[in-house]
Every structure is written in C-alpha cells, then in structure tokens.
Amino acid sequence: MSMKQRILTLIKRLAFLGYCTFEIESIVKEAIGSAFVNNLSRTQEVAVVQHLEMYEQLGQNYLQTYSK
C-alpha cells in the first residue's frame, strides 16, 4: 500500500470513528501546516500518517472505554 493510500485509508477510518471533516483537516494541518494531502513530500506523508494513526488510536480507545 502506498503512503497516499495509507493516508486515505486512515482518513476513512477516522470518519468511521466519528471524526468530522473539520477535525480530520485540523489533524492533517497540525502535522504539516496544511489541510491538503496532495503532492506531499515523503517526510510530510510520514508526519501525516503518524498523526492520523495517533488519533485513530485515541478514537478506538474512546470507543472501547465508553461503549460499555
């Protein structure tokens, strides 16, 4: 899977976990200073993936904790 595909998959997972578009854009912007994920350098792609994975984990932890 390419980094671009990984980013898009993570964005879809965050949306499934309940993050709204604005929140996802804010996460990306926090990682690289821009909400756009087109034409990123390898370093930017890695930063975006790391941030999205961190928020995915937070979302999963929240669901596990509060869905009982």
Side-chain angles (χ1 to χ4, degrees), residues 15-28:
F16 179 76
L17 288 170
Y19 289 87
C20 68
T21 303
F22 173 79
E23 290 170 318
I24 295 169
E25 289 174 354
S26 294
I27 292 166
V28 173

Side-chain angles (χ1 to χ4, degrees), residues 6-22:
R6 179 79 178 130
I7 290 169
L8 295 176
T9 299
L10 285 164
I11 288 171
K12 287 178 186 174
R13 286 185 183 170
L14 290 179
F16 179 76
L17 288 170
Y19 289 87
C20 68
T21 303
F22 173 79

Side-chain angles (χ1 to χ4, degrees), residues 4-61:
K4 177 73 173 174
Q5 289 172 317
R6 179 79 178 130
I7 290 169
L8 295 176
T9 299
L10 285 164
I11 288 171
K12 287 178 186 174
R13 286 185 183 170
L14 290 179
F16 179 76
L17 288 170
Y19 289 87
C20 68
T21 303
F22 173 79
E23 290 170 318
I24 295 169
E25 289 174 354
S26 294
I27 292 166
V28 173
K29 191 170 185 176
E30 180 182 321
I32 59 169
S34 170
F36 301 103
V37 293
N38 294 326
N39 302 317
L40 298 180
S41 71
R42 180 74 174 161
T43 304
Q44 289 174 315
E45 288 177 337
V46 169
V48 169
V49 166
Q50 288 174 338
H51 256 69
L52 293 174
E53 286 175 342
M54 179 181 71
Y55 280 91
E56 179 190 27
Q57 188 61 53
L58 289 170
Q60 288 175 343
N61 290 348

